[in-house]
Amino acid sequence: MSRAPIGFELQEEGNRGDPALINVTQINVNYPGYPPPNNQTDLSRFEIEVAPGGSDPHLYPSVSEKSPAPIGFEGQVQDELKENGEDNSVTVNMDSPQEGGDLMEKEKKEEEAKLIDRLTQQMINEKATLFFRDGKKKIDYVLAYEPGDNEDVKKQQRRKTFEKNLIEEGLELEHEGKESSKNGKTCFTKVHIPWETLTRYAELLNVKMPLAENDMETQLESCFENCWKMFPSPFELDEDVLPTETNYFTAPFNRSRMDQYIGVEYKKGEGQFVIKDKDTFFTNAQRSKICYEILSRAHFTEMDEEEDRVNKKFGVRKLVDNQTYNAAYPLHDGRYHSDHSLLTVGKDSDRHLLYELWARPGMWYKYQPLDQIRSYFGEKIGIYFTWLGYYTTMLIPAAVTGLIAFIYGLATIMDDVPSSEICDNATIGNYTMCPMCDQRCSYWRLSDSCMYSRATYLFDNHATVAFAIVMALWASFFHEFWKRKQAEIEYEWDVADFEDGEETVRPEYEAGVKRRRTNPVTNRDEPYVPQWSKCFRYFTSFSVLVFFLALVLAAVFSVILYRIVMSAILYGNSESLIKTRASFISSISAACINLVIILILNQFYQRVAYVLTEMEQHRTLTEWEDAFTFKMFLFQFVNFYSSIFYIAFFKGKFVGRPGDYNRSLLDKRQEECDPSGCLIELCIQLGIVMVGKQIINNVKEILIPKLMVWFRSRQSLKETSEEKVYSRWEQDYNLASMPALGLFDEYLEMVIQYGFVTIFVAAFPLAPLFALINNIIEIRVDAYKFTTQWKRPLAERAQDIGIWFGILRGISAIAVISNAAIIAFTSEFIPKLVYQYGYSPDQTLSGYTQFSLSNFKVQYFARESVPDDKKMDIFGNVTQCRFRGYFEEDSSNPGQYDFTMAFWHILAAKLAFVVIFENLVVFCTWLVMYLVPDMPYKVKLQMLRENFLSKEALFNAETIQKQRERSASNN
């Protein structure tokens, strides 16, 4: 029994149209960007020998290759001819002088000619496998499976039922047995979506098609834009290789108005409108997307429909998950490399063009071909790379400013009075300091922290404060200008109303929700989740979320305990080299351990977030992705930033004082900061976690897919038979698959990095520079993965970057508070200002070190704080020691130490700075939002023009229909 796919059962027959009324022919296309200038898919000019026989592997042209290079490792001609470790390459140079006689020259020329013939034939063979055996029908999707000798009968039955339902739905299938594959064990089912089915679903899915050429683009260009174009730029892509594409106004596809789209012409002889080329009227990305919509909703069991829904027995994704099919994917349109020049000969395929202009490492400084990325991979991936390129560009001024702040600190480091007092002043440097831990630690000299004080000044100076203010304003400009850029992209790529009108319901939602009601907007019966059920599901999800967030904090707590214990052990070491660097060693080792814990917990929490999001039953894919993203980001926010927040705002703040230490944490004395502060430790933690994460991610993104592809392609090419074609579908099958969560990991990596760049930039001014370097590499690494190492992903549509934009704004808001607090409470900026203008006799920082230290009489030490080894030979009989803080002994109560008036002055100044800083940034942010409109003026005008043309198209359709009716009645 034939059943409509999930999600399309209730479409009215009247809305489908009559395909018989649509007269089409098969000639050229005029869709923007298609066909390519050199139509490489035209195989008629090649003489291809096709062996006869139904399912015989010789149906496709044979190739006389022995061992081509594995996918992802293709190189020059000589690399492709290596076999069993021997280099069989020859140099193709017809005019080279010969050392031997005429016979040797003749043999060499014959060998060169055979090589050229072989490579030409190989390219022809591969291009032939982009089509069905008739050489005309495009392969829009491929289903691959490895049956094995003892395969489960259920899997066979599922495939049989699934493919039968696909045929009934209007798709055409063609099978390739495992005997035709290079590895001898994989079967392939090729899927083609014919014209009638394609147009029917294009209308149901509201696919937008070109309606008229955009006649407003040049009119709206500003004088500045015109002047800017006159100057050559090394960052621009070569227009000879990548000509500017025509921009079009678009409208949702409708079969009843077929005559109004670009790519349709009126033939007077036939008296009707015809499609110039129905094979390329829709792009390959659109064809594969429409095909997937059918595959994702087709049933694969014979049970009745209600039972099928309950058990979710439908969709190709389910079949891939249970290994009925090993993979389902659209095809790349050819090789990504070529032996000829792109400039002189042109592109072999769109994939080849993207590799040469985008994915090749040598193009790292060039702008991205965003329109071509969108056309090949879809709007969702195109928007990601647009945002990543925009973010990277915006990092340039931030990185330059941060580098200037760091250079300022480096240039003036020897002029810093407090650190010079610690390092060079014999009196101050010789101060006896109180022990840093209980019992195991002894007294020490202030000069031991010389290195720490110098390093701290690099990141704790006046330039850093100015840089923090600049970065707060930078974040505001970043958001506002991205909204403008996003508005342009939404309009140009026809996704402005995608979430409201085009996005379809998730098949999993339709199958999992039993209750149904009439949609008040569409008047159609559809699944519905009651409000009480939503509340219960969200409450359950929230409870589990809180539990696992607490688990993350417990992991952070364990790292804190490690720091406390390790510091005590190192301070008690007899080696002076280790002892003087105890805090430095414990900070670095704790940061490394924390990084490892972060990476491990990340994998675990991803699964938890997935299960919770599935339980919540979201209606559309966008809603599902937003909910999953929010949960995952909460995990990652706590995972990555909690240890950094601890150092920035808690370490050393609640220690107490000698004689009255705070031991509320497991009855242990808490960590103290160096006399020069905790800022350098915060910088170390940031550097290790941020840079370490970036290095690990980039290595993982490059090596793992490449090794997987190398291994799989080697397995396939063990078969050295020259009778089998290494088909395009098998080459793509051997590529790695894009992760199931799509772009989530890519966005998450960048958003976490954005947090490092903004939230803690006051402690690490070099963060934007490291982020910029990483992102330049990241763009090309991601481009390389998508183009060469991964199967071609589904060309999904999206309107924007989703909930990530809200998360970015939230991070920016947190960053304002965080940087104000770091400057006020973690750095020494405010105490130095208070001393300089309130306590210094000459309004300089001379004497600040002594001002920031307090004296303590050792006779009031608690028993557990007395050092085991007092080192009498070095310090003599110590009667008092100094510690970091603003305390003085109460003369009326010996042994009681209270805060000095300077402490309260400094605290008031810190609070005032936070208030002023936040209000200044908030005002500047509001001013930017007010002055910068969310949508450019020219985009508004073009949208109005497009709406006008859409209405005109409706009126014209009615007029044409009436003319046809009159003509038919007259005849």
Side-chain angles (χ1 to χ4, degrees):
M1 175 182 169
S2 174
R3 289 180 292 171
I6 297 291
F8 293 102
E9 309 92 326
L10 301 172
Q11 298 293 339
E12 299 178 4
E13 293 297 327
N15 292 335
R16 294 192 174 188
D18 185 1
L21 295 177
I22 304 168
N23 191 349
V24 295
T25 59
Q26 192 172 340
I27 27 182
N28 280 329
V29 71
N30 196 23
Y31 187 80
Y34 286 84
N38 298 319
N39 192 353
Q40 301 297 332
T41 62
D42 183 8
L43 303 176
S44 60
R45 47 189 177 153
F46 299 110
E47 293 182 2
I48 306 175
E49 296 182 4
V50 181
S55 60
D56 191 83
H58 300 171
L59 272 168
Y60 285 94
S62 62
V63 57
S64 58
E65 60 175 331
K66 292 186 178 180
S67 181
I71 310 286
F73 288 86
E74 304 97 326
Q76 302 300 322
V77 172
Q78 59 268 28
D79 296 325
E80 297 180 4
L81 296 178
K82 289 182 180 179
E83 181 178 9
N84 299 326
E86 299 178 3
D87 191 352
N88 297 327
S89 63
V90 295
T91 304
V92 183
N93 187 354
M94 298 295 193
D95 299 325
S96 60
Q98 304 295 321
E99 296 180 359
D102 294 339
L103 181 61
M104 292 179 62
E105 183 179 358
K106 183 177 179 181
E107 288 178 351
K108 186 170 184 179
K109 287 185 176 181
E110 287 178 355
E111 190 173 356
E112 291 168 349
K114 288 180 181 179
L115 171 62
I116 294 173
D117 291 341
R118 172 184 167 186
L119 294 174
T120 303
Q121 185 65 33
Q122 181 179 339
M123 291 182 64
I124 296 171
N125 293 340
E126 288 185 8
K127 289 176 181 177
T129 58
L130 292 170
F131 300 85
F132 274 22
R133 297 189 187 102
D134 60 7
K136 297 179 180 179
K137 297 176 181 176
K138 286 184 178 180
I139 299 174
D140 297 310
Y141 230 84
V142 175
L143 307 174
Y145 59 96
E146 298 177 4
D149 297 330
N150 301 314
E151 188 186 26
D152 189 356
V153 179
K154 290 183 178 179
K155 291 184 178 180
Q156 299 177 13
Q157 186 60 40
R158 287 175 192 151
R159 282 196 297 266
K160 181 179 178 181
T161 305
F162 182 70
E163 292 174 8
K164 183 189 73 171
N165 288 331
L166 292 181
I167 294 172
E168 291 176 349
E169 191 53 35
L171 299 182
E172 295 182 10
L173 309 180
E174 191 172 77
H175 298 275
E176 293 291 333
K178 59 184 178 182
E179 65 278 357
S180 65
S181 63
K182 276 282 188 177
N183 64 9
K185 60 181 181 180
T186 308
C187 299
F188 298 92
T189 299
K190 298 168 289 181
V191 183
H192 169 75
I193 180 167
W195 177 254
E196 290 77 12
T197 308
L198 188 62
T199 54
R200 175 159 57 93
Y201 275 92
E203 184 174 342
L204 293 174
L205 296 171
N206 289 323
V207 176
K208 288 193 173 182
M209 301 302 293
L211 188 66
E213 187 173 336
N214 189 336
D215 54 1
M216 300 182 66
E217 252 192 341
T218 55
Q219 301 174 21
L220 295 173
E221 286 184 354
S222 65
C223 179
F224 174 78
E225 290 174 333
N226 289 325
C227 294
W228 181 259
K229 289 181 179 179
M230 297 173 62
F231 297 96
S233 170
F235 308 110
E236 295 283 352
L237 295 167
D238 190 347
E239 290 189 2
D240 294 333
V241 178
L242 190 70
T244 304
E245 292 188 354
T246 306
N247 195 6
Y248 292 88
F249 294 119
T250 60
F253 180 79
N254 191 306
R255 287 173 291 173
S256 65
R257 303 201 305 271
M258 192 83 89
D259 50 283
Q260 297 172 345
Y261 298 105
I262 299 295
V264 182
E265 63 182 3
Y266 183 78
K267 287 197 172 181
K268 293 182 179 179
E270 300 181 19
Q272 56 188 341
F273 291 90
V274 294
I275 304 296
K276 292 181 180 179
D277 189 347
K278 63 182 181 182
D279 285 335
T280 49
F281 182 72
F282 295 97
T283 66
N284 289 338
Q286 288 173 327
R287 294 176 65 95
S288 64
K289 173 61 178 173
I290 294 172
C291 188
Y292 179 78
E293 289 293 337
I294 302 174
L295 292 172
S296 65
R297 289 170 164 81
H299 304 264
F300 55 80
T301 61
E302 296 291 352
M303 60 181 63
D304 63 73
E305 188 166 339
E306 187 59 34
E307 187 178 355
D308 201 348
R309 283 180 177 279
V310 173
N311 294 284
K312 301 183 181 180
K313 303 295 184 182
F314 66 91
V316 69
R317 182 176 175 181
K318 190 77 173 178
L319 292 175
V320 173
D321 290 343
N322 61 30
Q323 290 296 294
T324 301
Y325 290 108
N326 294 88
Y329 51 93
L331 289 180
H332 283 292
D333 62 356
R335 289 187 175 192
Y336 69 83
H337 71 97
S338 176
D339 295 325
H340 62 68
S341 169
L342 181 67
L343 185 62
T344 57
V345 181
K347 64 178 181 179
D348 278 347
S349 62
D350 289 336
R351 186 188 188 196
H352 173 222
L353 180 69
L354 284 174
Y355 175 75
E356 291 294 334
L357 298 183
W358 180 48
R360 195 160 53 86
M363 306 299 288
W364 64 269
Y365 64 96
K366 294 286 188 179
Y367 293 138
Q368 300 181 85
L370 296 174
D371 288 329
Q372 284 66 32
I373 296 170
R374 171 249 182 165
S375 178
Y376 193 80
F377 292 111
E379 287 79 6
K380 193 169 191 177
I381 293 174
I383 288 173
Y384 163 71
F385 281 105
T386 303
W387 177 82
L388 181 57
Y390 167 82
Y391 171 43
T392 303
T393 304
M394 289 290 289
L395 279 174
I396 294 175
V400 171
T401 310
L403 185 60
I404 291 173
F406 178 76
I407 292 174
Y408 171 82
L410 198 63
T412 59
I413 189 171
M414 302 308 296
D415 299 330
D416 179 49
V417 175
S419 60
S420 296
E421 287 180 342
I422 294 174
C423 297
D424 304 329
N425 191 304
T427 302
I428 296 177
N430 203 41
Y431 282 165
T432 300
M433 304 298 294
C434 298
M436 296 291 289
C437 64
D438 291 337
Q439 296 179 337
R440 296 178 62 89
C441 300
S442 185
Y443 304 107
W444 56 286
R445 299 295 185 193
L446 180 59
S447 59
D448 292 344
S449 68
C450 172
M451 183 186 69
Y452 249 65
S453 62
R454 294 287 195 198
T456 298
Y457 177 76
L458 288 176
F459 305 101
D460 188 3
N461 52 65
H462 295 288
T464 303
V465 178
F467 179 59
I469 298 174
V470 168
M471 285 303 295
L473 298 177
W474 173 88
S476 301
F477 280 101
F478 175 81
H479 297 311
E480 294 308 310
F481 282 103
W482 168 248
K483 283 194 290 187
R484 289 173 60 84
K485 180 67 175 177
Q486 185 170 269
E488 293 181 20
I489 290 296
E490 286 180 3
Y491 169 72
E492 291 177 4
W493 291 357
D494 302 314
V495 292
D497 55 355
F498 170 72
E499 293 180 7
D500 295 330
E502 293 183 50
E503 190 170 21
T504 57
V505 178
R506 291 173 64 234
E508 295 84 357
Y509 175 81
E510 293 188 272
V513 178
K514 297 180 181 180
R515 291 182 176 82
R516 305 181 77 81
R517 73 167 184 180
T518 302
N519 188 314
V521 178
T522 62
N523 247 357
R524 291 176 182 168
D525 189 48
E526 64 177 28
Y528 167 71
V529 179
Q531 200 64 34
W532 65 266
S533 180
K534 285 183 180 179
C535 292
F536 176 75
R537 293 172 186 275
Y538 289 156
F539 176 77
T540 304
S541 179
F542 175 77
S543 302
V544 176
L545 193 68
V546 170
F547 171 77
F548 282 104
L549 288 177
L551 196 61
V552 177
L553 293 176
V556 174
F557 180 74
S558 64
V559 175
I560 294 172
L561 286 181
Y562 165 82
R563 294 168 64 97
I564 294 173
V565 173
M566 182 56 65
S567 296
I569 293 174
L570 293 176
Y571 275 120
N573 194 285
S574 58
E575 293 289 335
S576 61
L577 182 66
I578 296 176
K579 180 180 176 181
T580 55
R581 291 164 176 78
S583 180
F584 187 76
I585 296 172
S586 62
S587 296
I588 291 180
S589 59
C592 293
I593 292 172
N594 187 56
L595 177 61
V596 173
I597 292 175
I598 286 171
L599 296 176
I600 293 174
L601 291 180
N602 179 36
Q603 300 300 318
F604 175 70
Y605 292 136
Q606 188 167 297
R607 299 183 181 181
V608 174
Y610 182 87
V611 172
L612 293 178
T613 309
E614 280 291 304
M615 181 191 67
E616 292 171 356
Q617 292 185 330
H618 294 281
R619 182 175 178 272
T620 64
L621 181 60
T622 299
E623 292 175 0
W624 188 95
E625 288 180 343
D626 288 349
F628 176 81
T629 298
F630 179 72
K631 294 180 187 63
M632 217 35 223
F633 177 74
L634 276 182
F635 284 140
Q636 298 293 4
F637 186 89
V638 177
N639 208 7
F640 277 98
Y641 300 144
S642 52
S643 60
I644 301 174
F645 269 105
Y646 163 73
I647 296 174
F649 304 119
F650 296 98
K651 182 179 179 181
K653 304 298 187 298
F654 309 101
V655 175
R657 60 168 179 81
D660 186 24
Y661 285 116
N662 183 357
R663 302 180 185 276
S664 59
L665 186 64
L666 298 180
D667 200 30
K668 298 288 185 181
R669 175 178 164 183
Q670 295 185 23
E671 287 185 282
E672 289 187 52
C673 292
D674 188 85
S676 55
C678 281
L679 198 68
I680 188 62
E681 290 187 45
L682 179 60
C683 181
I684 292 170
Q685 183 81 10
L686 273 168
I688 290 178
V689 174
M690 177 184 174
V691 179
K693 176 180 176 294
Q694 291 177 351
I695 293 173
I696 291 172
N697 283 343
N698 283 329
V699 170
K700 182 177 68 174
E701 289 180 8
I702 295 174
L703 289 184
I704 293 179
K706 207 166 185 67
L707 291 174
M708 289 176 61
V709 171
W710 177 84
F711 177 77
R712 294 187 67 172
S713 59
R714 278 294 180 191
Q715 292 294 314
S716 293
L717 294 174
K718 286 180 180 179
E719 170 62 58
T720 58
S721 171
E722 298 182 5
E723 301 298 321
K724 294 182 179 180
V725 177
Y726 193 28
S727 59
R728 171 50 49 198
W729 55 77
E730 187 171 3
Q731 291 184 48
D732 285 7
Y733 174 69
N734 289 328
L735 294 174
S737 298
M738 184 178 177
L741 295 175
L743 295 170
F744 171 79
D745 289 330
E746 310 295 339
Y747 273 118
L748 181 64
E749 180 183 353
M750 290 297 104
V751 171
I752 293 294
Q753 181 201 89
Y754 179 82
F756 286 127
V757 168
T758 54
I759 297 178
F760 306 105
V761 73
F764 192 35
L766 292 178
L769 178 63
F770 284 113
L772 176 63
I773 295 171
N774 174 80
N775 287 8
I776 292 173
I777 299 171
E778 180 75 21
I779 289 175
R780 304 305 160 177
V781 168
D782 286 347
Y784 185 80
K785 283 189 308 185
F786 275 98
T787 309
T788 69
Q789 302 300 304
W790 282 356
K791 295 180 178 69
R792 186 174 182 173
L794 182 66
E796 292 184 295
R797 288 171 65 78
Q799 183 170 330
D800 46 39
I801 63 174
I803 198 174
W804 292 113
F805 182 72
I807 290 174
L808 290 170
R809 299 202 70 164
I811 289 176
S812 298
I814 294 173
V816 175
I817 303 172
S818 173
N819 283 304
I822 288 174
I823 294 171
F825 295 100
T826 306
S827 76
E828 293 292 298
F829 176 73
I830 300 299
K832 286 179 180 179
L833 282 182
V834 172
Y835 172 77
Q836 184 174 358
Y837 296 107
Y839 289 87
S840 175
D842 54 359
Q843 292 193 339
T844 66
L845 290 177
S846 179
Y848 172 75
T849 304
Q850 187 172 358
F851 170 77
S852 64
L853 298 176
S854 300
N855 287 321
F856 177 75
K857 295 179 180 178
V858 299
Q859 67 190 60
Y860 299 121
F861 263 135
R863 181 178 54 83
E864 60 269 21
S865 299
V866 177
D868 294 335
D869 182 8
K870 298 182 181 180
K871 297 188 176 181
M872 301 282 291
D873 54 330
I874 299 176
F875 299 99
N877 184 24
V878 177
T879 58
Q880 65 177 14
C881 61
R882 297 176 185 264
F883 65 98
R884 187 170 182 263
Y886 301 93
F887 291 89
E888 62 180 358
E889 186 178 10
D890 187 351
S891 57
S892 61
N893 188 8
Q896 178 64 36
Y897 288 79
D898 299 320
F899 288 116
T900 62
M901 186 57 66
F903 170 82
W904 300 109
H905 290 164
I906 292 172
L907 179 61
K910 287 179 177 180
L911 295 176
F913 174 83
V914 170
V915 173
I916 294 171
F917 183 93
E918 289 182 4
N919 282 278
L920 176 64
V921 172
V922 168
F923 172 77
C924 293
T925 302
W926 172 83
L927 189 62
V928 171
M929 292 174 64
Y930 178 77
L931 295 176
V932 181
D934 292 348
M935 182 179 294
Y937 177 68
K938 67 177 184 179
V939 173
K940 285 185 178 180
L941 289 182
Q942 290 181 88
M943 292 180 70
L944 292 173
R945 173 71 173 161
E946 184 173 86
N947 291 334
F948 170 77
L949 289 176
S950 297
K951 293 177 181 178
E952 286 286 301
L954 288 173
F955 292 130
N956 291 340
E958 290 295 326
T959 304
I960 293 171
Q961 183 65 28
K962 289 178 180 179
Q963 290 176 354
R964 288 176 179 173
E965 290 174 358
R966 290 196 199 100
S967 176
S969 61
N970 292 335
N971 294 334

